[in-house]
Amino acid sequence: MTFKALPHWLRATQPWIVTPFAGAAGGALAQWLHCPLPWMIGALLGVTLIRCLGCLTKPVPHGVKLGQWIVATGIGLHFTAAVVGQMLQNAGVIILASVLTVVTCGVGIWLHRRSGVDLATAYFASMPGGANEMVNLGRQQGADLPSIAAGQSLRMMLVLLTVPASYLLIFGGEAHTHTNAPVHLGWLSLLFAIGGLIAWRFQRWHLPNAWQLGALAACIPLTAFFDLQVGLPPGAGAFGQWLIGSTLGCYFDRSFFKRAPAFMLRTLAGTCSIMLLAIPLAWILGRVSGLDIPTLALGMAPGGIAEMSLTAEALGLMVPLVTAIQVLRLLMVLFLAEPVFRVWVRLRSKTSDA
C-alpha cells in the first residue's frame, strides 16, 4: 500500500505514519542478510528508498530522542569501574586521537576550496559535527547553508553504510552478537529517569544531541561509581536503532542526491580520505599506547557517537574507547570550530593586507 493510498485525513494528520513501517521492513531485511547494525542501516535504507520513490514521509515525532535515550543508556552501561580506570590511564591518547580526527578534516576543506567554494561553506561542511549544529554556526559566518546540510548528511550516510562492512573486511572477524548483562529493572529505571531529566535540561539549554549526551552523562558516572554489571532488556537496542535509522532516512530523497553533484562528489572524496587516514594514524597510536588498533581507527571515523559506538559493539570492539573519542571530538568541534574559524579569517585578512 502506497502513501497516497492511505486515507487523506490520516496522511494530513499523521504524515509520519509510513516511516516506522518502512524502517521495520528495511531492518528486518538487513537482519535476514546478516548485516552489521541491521536495524539502523536497514531502517535508514528502507525510509530513504520510499522517499526516493516519491513517498515524502516525515520522521516519527520525538522518535530520534527516544532512540538516542535508549541507545546512549546502553552505551553508558559499558563504562564499568575497570573500564573507566583504563580510559583515564589512556586519556592522552584519547585526546590526541580526537584532535587528529579534526585535523584530517582539512582534506575536505582543501578539496572544496580548490573548486572555488567559499571558506565558510567549505569549513563547516567538512567539520565532523552534526548537520544542525554546523548549519547554525555557518549561518553566522554567511555560509551556503543548504550545502553544509547536504555535506554533513551525506558524510553521515556514507560512514554508516560503509564503515561497519569495511571494518569486517579490513580487520577480519564477523558481526558480533552482543550478550546482554543481567537486566536489573530497578537500576535501569533509575538510570533512565536521571538520564531523561539531564537530557531535558540539556534540551532547554539548546545543547546538541541533548538526549544522547544526557543519557551518557547520567549512565557513565553511575555505572562506574557503583560498578554496575547491568544490561538492557533483549530487543531494546534494536528498537533504539530502528527509531534512529528511520529518522535518519528522512533526510534523503531524490532531490537531495541531485543537488550540486560536484559538491557531493567532493564530500564523498573528502570523507573517504578521512576514513583512510584514520587507519595509519590509529596504527601509530596503537603501537605507541598498546591500545587496540581497529578500535582506535573506528573511534577516529567521522561518524556520530551512537552510530560508531553501536558499530564497536556489533564488531566486538572496545565501546568505551570509541565513545570517549567520539564524545570528546564532538565537544571540541562544537566549542572550538567557530573560534578557530574566526582566527583563520583574521590571519587570512592580515596576510592579504600585507
Side-chain angles (χ1 to χ4, degrees):
M1 181 173 62
T2 65
F3 184 59
K4 293 181 179 180
L6 294 172
H8 175 74
W9 66 267
L10 186 59
R11 287 187 282 126
T13 59
Q14 311 294 342
W16 52 268
I17 195 67
V18 178
T19 301
F21 294 102
L29 178 61
Q31 186 176 51
W32 182 71
L33 294 173
H34 301 289
C35 296
L37 297 185
W39 288 100
M40 180 174 288
I41 294 176
L44 166 65
L45 292 177
V47 175
T48 299
L49 176 61
I50 64 168
R51 286 178 60 84
C52 288
L53 293 175
C55 177
L56 298 181
T57 183
K58 302 295 182 182
V60 176
H62 307 294
V64 71
K65 295 178 183 179
L66 178 59
Q68 289 180 339
W69 191 8
I70 295 171
V71 166
T73 300
I75 292 170
L77 291 172
H78 288 272
F79 284 80
T80 60
V83 168
V84 169
Q86 186 180 10
M87 295 299 101
L88 293 175
Q89 290 176 2
N90 295 282
V93 177
I94 293 172
I95 294 172
L96 183 56
S98 302
V99 172
L100 288 174
T101 307
V102 176
V103 171
T104 57
C105 292
V107 175
I109 300 174
W110 178 77
L111 287 172
H112 287 312
R113 291 291 291 158
R114 278 182 59 88
S115 299
V117 178
D118 66 276
L119 179 59
T121 301
Y123 182 86
F124 290 106
S126 302
M127 283 292 105
N132 292 334
E133 292 76 32
M134 293 303 101
V135 165
N136 290 333
L137 293 178
R139 179 182 291 111
Q140 302 173 34
Q141 305 301 327
D144 180 13
L145 303 186
S147 294
I148 294 177
Q152 291 288 342
S153 300
L154 185 62
R155 174 182 58 79
M156 173 273 300
M157 186 181 200
L158 179 66
V159 170
L160 184 56
L161 294 181
T162 61
V163 165
S166 298
Y167 272 59
L168 287 176
L169 179 64
I170 295 172
F171 296 110
E174 56 184 16
H176 174 71
T177 302
H178 180 64
T179 302
N180 286 322
V183 176
H184 193 292
L185 294 181
W187 272 115
L188 288 177
S189 299
L190 180 64
L191 292 172
F192 272 105
I194 297 175
L197 288 173
I198 296 176
W200 175 79
R201 175 51 61 184
F202 282 180
Q203 184 174 271
R204 294 289 298 271
W205 291 341
H206 303 289
L207 294 181
N209 296 325
W211 288 87
Q212 187 168 258
L213 294 178
L216 289 173
C219 202
I220 291 175
L222 287 173
T223 300
F225 184 79
F226 293 101
D227 197 21
L228 300 180
Q229 307 292 327
V230 178
L232 294 178
F239 180 71
Q241 290 183 44
W242 167 56
L243 289 172
I244 295 174
S246 297
T247 300
L248 294 178
C250 292
Y251 285 105
F252 307 101
D253 54 30
R254 278 182 294 183
S255 63
F256 175 88
F257 294 105
K258 292 179 180 178
R259 185 185 302 125
F263 184 90
M264 306 294 256
L265 285 174
R266 290 193 298 273
T267 300
L268 286 172
T271 302
C272 291
S273 299
I274 295 170
M275 291 191 291
L276 291 174
L277 283 171
I279 296 175
L281 292 174
W283 184 85
I284 295 172
L285 290 176
R287 296 285 291 180
V288 172
S289 65
L291 292 174
D292 183 58
I293 293 174
T295 301
L296 284 169
L298 183 60
M300 297 174 70
I305 299 169
E307 294 84 358
M308 294 302 96
S309 299
L310 286 170
T311 300
E313 185 177 68
L315 301 181
L317 303 178
M318 297 174 61
V319 176
L321 179 57
V322 172
T323 305
I325 295 173
Q326 293 282 334
V327 170
L328 181 58
R329 189 192 70 207
L330 175 64
L331 295 176
M332 288 174 55
V333 170
L334 291 177
F335 292 107
L336 297 179
E338 188 175 22
V340 169
F341 177 78
R342 289 177 176 174
V343 171
W344 189 357
V345 171
R346 194 176 303 119
L347 292 175
R348 280 170 54 86
S349 62
K350 288 182 180 180
T351 303
S352 61
D353 292 341

